[in-house]
Amino acid sequence: MFPMSSPAVAFFLSLLFPLLAAAAANLDIGKTLSGYSDFSDFSSMLNETGVADQINSLQTVTVLAVSNGNLGALSGLSSEDKKMVMSVHVVLDYYDETKLNKSHSKRAKILTTLYQETGKARKQVGFLNLTNTGKGPVVFASAVPNSHIEAQLVKEVSTKPYDLSVLQISNLLNVASVSPAPYVAPVASPPRKVLAPAPAPASTSTSTPTSTPTPSLADEEDVSPTSSKTKPSTGSEPAAAADAPGSEQEKSAAPASAPCGDYLASTILMISTWAWFLLTITN
C-alpha cells in the first residue's frame, strides 16, 4: 500500500475525480423521457433536430417538455426552424417545482435558452420570461416584445438534482419569425371627405371669337359646282385660285374669259372720239 501522502496517490486521485464528476453529470434525455409515453413525439423531435445530443453534452439543464397532442405548430416548418423551436425549450439552468415555488417575484425572471448559445439568436429570441407571482400559475413566455403566446407549468416530470429537470408546459412557446402571430382584425379607416375640384385657372389672354365671313358675290362665282360649301373671303383669292387643282382645259380657257361686249364698246368709243376730233379740225 502506498502512503496517502505519496505523489502516486495524489496523481491517481487527480485523474479519478474528474472522471467521477463527468460520469455523474452525464445526461441522457432520451432515456429519461422513454418512460413517459405522453412525450414520445417530443423525444423523437429532440433526436430528429439534434437537440438531444446538445442536451446530453450539458451539465445543468431544464427541459420544458410538451405532450404529444400539443406539437401541431411544428408541422410544415423547415428542419432549421424546428431545431430553433426545440432549442428555445431548453433552459440553461436547473429549475424544479421546489425552486420555482421559492422564486416568487412581481417581475419576470429572464432565462437563457440553448438557442441563445448557438449565436443565431437575434435580439431577445433566445431568452424566456419566467413569471411566478405566487398568486397564479407559473408562466413561461418568449422575451420578445409583444409575444402573445404563453405556456403554463403543468407539472414536474423528472428531476436529477442538480443536473437535469424535465417540466411539462401546456403548449409550445412562441418563437419570433417562426410561430404564427395571432390574427388581428384590421381597423377600418374613417371615410375620407370628398373635396370639390379646384376651379380652372383663368387664362391670361382673351380670345376673340372668330366670326364666319359672309361670302361676297365674287366668291359665289368661284364656288365649284361639285362643292356644297362656300369659300370664305380672305383677300388672297387670286393666289388661292391659282393654286387650286383643276383640269388642263380649265387652265387653258382662263385667258379667254374676258367679256366681248366690253371690248366692242371700247372700240366704238375710240372711233367716235377720233371722228369728232377730225370734224373739229376741218371746221
Side-chain angles (χ1 to χ4, degrees), residues 142-281:
S142 173
V144 177
N146 301 322
S147 179
H148 300 283
I149 299 180
E150 298 178 341
Q152 296 182 3
L153 174 65
V154 177
K155 65 181 180 179
E156 179 183 286
V157 178
S158 177
T159 59
K160 185 180 180 181
Y162 290 91
D163 301 326
L164 174 64
S165 174
V166 179
L167 303 177
Q168 180 183 357
I169 58 176
S170 57
N171 51 267
L172 288 172
L173 296 170
N174 176 45
V175 179
S177 76
V178 175
S179 300
Y183 174 78
V184 178
V187 179
S189 58
R192 297 178 59 185
K193 183 178 181 181
V194 180
L195 301 178
S203 176
T204 55
S205 60
T206 305
S207 58
T208 304
T210 304
S211 58
T212 304
T214 305
S216 61
L217 181 60
D219 294 331
E220 292 179 355
E221 294 176 356
D222 292 337
V223 175
S224 174
T226 60
S227 176
S228 61
K229 298 182 180 179
T230 304
K231 296 188 295 181
S233 176
T234 60
S236 59
E237 288 300 326
D243 295 337
S247 63
E248 295 296 333
Q249 295 179 357
E250 290 176 350
K251 293 182 179 180
S252 61
S257 61
C260 297
D262 294 342
Y263 180 78
L264 180 60
S266 300
T267 303
I268 295 174
L269 178 59
M270 183 174 60
I271 293 175
S272 299
T273 302
W274 280 101
W276 176 80
F277 179 77
L278 291 175
L279 290 175
T280 302
I281 295 175

